[in-house]
Amino acid sequence: MPPSWNDYRKVIAKNGFRLERSGKHETWIRYDEQDRVTGQTRASHGNAEIADARFFRALLKQCGKTEKRFYEVLRGK
Amino acid sequence: MTAIAVAGGPAQLTSEGDLAFVGDATTSIRYAVSSRRGSSYRVSVAPARLTAVVDETDEGFTARSPELNSLGYGPDPDAALADLTEAVRDYLTFLVEKRPTLAPEVAHHETYLDLLSAPEASWFAAVTIGRAAPDAA
């Protein structure tokens, strides 16, 4: 079953991303321990499935996660 | 006869014979047409421009900018590029409004803030069609 946008939000929020802007899409910014910006990603509003697997992998690459690690974080490991 | 003059910033000739701008100030290029009535227009070009890499996915296309690690998505390449442009605009606007400290690995993102004052159509110096993303992450 493909991940949903809520799954994506949950994982990135656990990995230093904070929601900073909300327009057509949400802009999430990743901070390090010194509160310095280290990256960015976006999430769609709502909770649709991310059905396009290649797009999902592009998102994973953008947020610096492997698919395996994504699901580990999602399960709370 | 058409004369081209470059104004607004220093420039130098490269070994390939191209004219390259020096420094990071916004540079204006004036194209002047020499004629009795004459006409000219001025174009502002941001000093740092982006590249876009478009990849086909299972159900659409991604467009990403390696310089900012921005990502767009859409049902066709044009829609993906438009989404990427919006992603870049949102991110750069955040940087301008919040003025956060950038970690060293993304410190170069600051050089792209001038894009916000340039026409969006000029943001990408090149758009390339990349290879499809690998099946395994």
Side-chain angles (χ1 to χ4, degrees):
Chain A
M1 184 175 161
S4 69
W5 283 108
N6 275 355
D7 293 336
Y8 189 66
R9 281 187 200 88
K10 185 176 176 181
V11 170
I12 62 177
K14 286 182 177 178
N15 285 273
F17 283 86
R18 294 181 219 149
L19 176 60
E20 291 286 1
R21 290 178 65 83
S22 186
K24 184 178 175 185
H25 299 295
E26 298 172 352
T27 299
W28 290 70
I29 303 295
R30 184 174 60 206
Y31 294 88
D32 64 12
E33 295 80 7
Q34 286 86 47
D35 211 35
R36 300 176 303 186
V37 169
T38 63
Q40 47 135 349
T41 189
R42 288 199 306 168
S44 285
H45 295 294
N47 191 32
E49 287 183 345
I50 308 173
D52 188 327
R54 288 179 188 267
F55 174 47
F56 176 56
R57 282 194 281 276
L59 285 168
L60 289 174
K61 186 176 179 183
Q62 186 186 32
C63 73
K65 286 274 166 286
T66 63
E67 196 162 353
K68 180 184 176 194
R69 185 62 191 144
F70 178 88
Y71 286 108
E72 286 175 350
V73 173
L74 187 61
R75 294 188 201 105
K77 291 183 181 176
Chain B
M1 175 183 158
T2 300
I4 299 175
V6 179
Q12 64 183 17
L13 282 172
T14 67
S15 57
E16 288 79 30
D18 297 326
L19 192 64
F21 299 112
V22 179
D24 58 2
T26 298
T27 303
S28 296
I29 302 175
R30 176 180 287 260
Y31 299 87
V33 179
S34 177
S35 68
R36 190 179 181 98
R37 294 178 62 86
S39 64
S40 67
Y41 55 93
R42 186 174 288 271
V43 181
S44 292
V45 180
R49 298 168 73 199
L50 302 167
T51 54
V53 180
V54 176
D55 288 301
E56 187 169 8
T57 63
D58 298 330
E59 299 178 11
F61 291 83
T62 58
R64 58 190 166 84
S65 166
E67 295 87 355
L68 295 176
N69 196 24
S70 294
L71 181 68
Y73 180 72
D76 56 64
D78 286 343
L81 282 168
D83 195 48
L84 173 62
T85 300
E86 186 181 291
V88 168
R89 187 194 322 115
D90 285 347
Y91 177 57
L92 294 180
T93 301
F94 159 77
L95 293 181
V96 166
E97 290 179 351
K98 297 287 181 72
R99 283 285 168 189
T101 302
L102 298 177
E105 62 266 31
V106 298
H108 64 283
H109 289 187
E110 196 164 9
T111 63
Y112 296 97
L113 296 180
D114 286 340
L115 287 175
L116 290 174
S117 57
E120 290 182 356
S122 72
W123 286 8
F124 297 98
V127 177
T128 60
I129 306 299
R131 290 184 300 177
D135 286 332

